[in-house]
């Protein structure tokens, strides 16, 4: 078995694969930006009520949550992780085009469902690829690197989508999102499958079999951690779309630019601190960082509830 920790600066395929994974994170973030608050802006312009838009976003989030465990099983049991990513990119592009071209209830719902099903799968596949490339000891730094490029991609694309939506068409963000699936797929193919250790990507030990469902359910610390993440996502996922929807209704003439700003600002902050957070997580412990994140979410929710201006 290859070395557990891989030097990210070493020459050769692993270094090239890591750079390709950086760009994959960048473009994947670009693609997924279209499914965020821009959905609320676009559907509001088509006469959808705030309740209908909120329900649609909730369905998307619910599907994403419900498919997390099956997606994890799928990613673990499929050796070729890039196949999972390729199918997911196709579904995401198709969903974006459905929302842009056919703003009818069931077709928009189908597009959001396609994104919800693949959203978790994409992130888990990227995590598995990163783990397979660098191993557990270097994985915190790899995660920080993932988030850095993900956030830069989100910020860059949200800004361009906001400008395109304001000056061209409210449909433009979805066409941009679908088109960016192409460079994302190209970046994916530059990741060398030979450098992704399948055992390390799944568990890291050759002599341990994959856990059974009932073993997972009996693991109380794991179930408690899953509950914490569920509550975090339940509180966090809809905040930005709902804030964007309200501001879009109050500032119709500048809704695309306001929405873009709502996405760009937090992503720029994340891009700046992601690597630092990854290092401090190793030094201070992950519970401390998670508690800080929960506190920030509480403050964010209160501010969104009280603030009325962009």
């Amino acid at each position: 078995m290859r070395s557990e920790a891989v030097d990210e600066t070493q020459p050769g395929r692993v270094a090239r694969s890591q750079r390709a994974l950086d760009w994959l994170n960048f473009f994947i973030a670009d693609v997924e930006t279209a499914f965020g608050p821009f959905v609320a802006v676009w559907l509001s312009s088509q006469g959808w009520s705030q309740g209908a838009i909120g329900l649609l976003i909730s369905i998307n989030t619910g599907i994403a949550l419900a498919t997390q465990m099956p997606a994890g099983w799928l990613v673990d049991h499929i050796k070729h992780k890039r196949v999972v990513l390729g199918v997911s990119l196709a579904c995401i592009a198709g969903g974006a085009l459905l929302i842009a071209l056919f703003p009818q209830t069931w077709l928009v719902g189908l597009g959001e469902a396609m994104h919800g099903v693949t959203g978790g799968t994409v992130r888990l596949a990227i995590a598995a690829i990163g783990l397979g490339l660098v191993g557990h000891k270097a994985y915190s730094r790899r995660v920080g690197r993932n988030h850095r490029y993900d956030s830069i991609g989100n910020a860059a694309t949200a800004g361009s989508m906001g400008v395109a939506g304001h000056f061209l068409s409210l449909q433009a963000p979805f066409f941009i999102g679908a088109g960016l699936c192409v460079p994302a797929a190209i970046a994916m193919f530059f990741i060398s499958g030979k450098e992704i250790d399948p055992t390390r990507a799944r568990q890291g030990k050759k002599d341990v079999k994959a856990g059974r469902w009932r073993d997972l359910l009996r693991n109380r610390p794991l179930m408690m951690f899953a509950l914490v993440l569920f509550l975090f996502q339940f509180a966090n996922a809809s905040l930005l779309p709902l804030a964007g929807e309200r501001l879009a209704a109050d500032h119709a003439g500048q809704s695309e630019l306001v929405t873009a700003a709502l996405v760009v600002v937090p992503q720029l902050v994340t891009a700046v601190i992601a690597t630092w957070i990854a290092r401090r997580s190793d030094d201070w412990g992950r519970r401390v960082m998670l508690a800080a994140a929960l506190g920030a979410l509480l403050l964010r929710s209160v501010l969104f509830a009280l603030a009325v201006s962009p």
Side-chain angles (χ1 to χ4, degrees), residues 42-43 46 48 56 97-112:
W42 165 236
L43 296 181
Q46 297 299 301
W48 283 50
L56 183 72
L97 292 175
L98 276 178
I99 294 173
L101 297 174
F102 307 102
Q104 288 82 35
T105 302
W106 72 275
L107 288 173
V108 171
L110 177 60
E112 287 286 327

Side-chain angles (χ1 to χ4, degrees), residues 5-159:
V6 177
D7 183 0
E8 295 182 2
T9 64
Q10 71 176 352
R13 288 184 176 179
V14 173
R16 289 195 295 271
S17 293
Q18 289 224 64
R19 287 194 294 271
L21 184 56
D22 292 338
W23 285 108
L24 177 60
N25 275 283
F26 178 87
F27 288 118
I28 285 286
D30 293 346
V31 168
E32 293 187 332
T33 299
F35 286 87
F38 289 102
V39 171
V41 173
W42 165 236
L43 296 181
S44 292
S45 72
Q46 297 299 301
W48 283 50
S49 68
Q50 294 186 5
I53 296 173
L55 177 61
L56 183 72
I57 294 171
S58 298
I59 291 173
N60 183 321
T61 304
I63 291 174
L65 288 171
T67 56
Q68 286 289 306
M69 289 184 67
W73 179 90
L74 179 68
V75 170
D76 273 348
H77 285 77
I78 291 183
K79 181 178 180 180
H80 302 289
K81 315 298 184 187
R82 297 184 303 171
V83 174
V84 178
L85 283 174
V87 173
S88 298
L89 283 172
C91 290
I92 291 172
L97 292 175
L98 276 178
I99 294 173
L101 297 174
F102 307 102
Q104 288 82 35
T105 302
W106 72 275
L107 288 173
V108 171
L110 177 60
E112 287 286 327
M114 291 169 69
H115 175 256
V117 168
T118 59
T121 306
V122 166
R123 286 298 156 201
L124 290 170
I126 288 177
I129 289 173
L131 183 58
L133 286 173
V134 305
H136 286 283
K137 291 183 180 178
Y139 188 57
S140 290
R141 284 174 287 168
R142 181 64 254 182
V143 170
R145 193 163 159 176
N146 286 350
H147 281 296
R148 185 200 311 166
Y149 280 88
D150 177 273
S151 298
I152 293 172
N154 261 320
T157 307

Side-chain angles (χ1 to χ4, degrees), residues 11 41 132 233 287 310:
V41 173
Q233 184 71 2
R287 290 189 184 186

Side-chain angles (χ1 to χ4, degrees), residues 212-231:
R212 296 171 294 182
W213 290 101
R214 63 185 181 185
D215 295 330
L216 295 176
L217 296 176
R218 289 173 179 172
N219 190 325
R220 292 185 64 184
L222 179 61
M223 290 297 100
M224 184 59 66
F225 181 58
L227 177 62
V228 170
L229 293 183
F230 172 81
L231 294 175

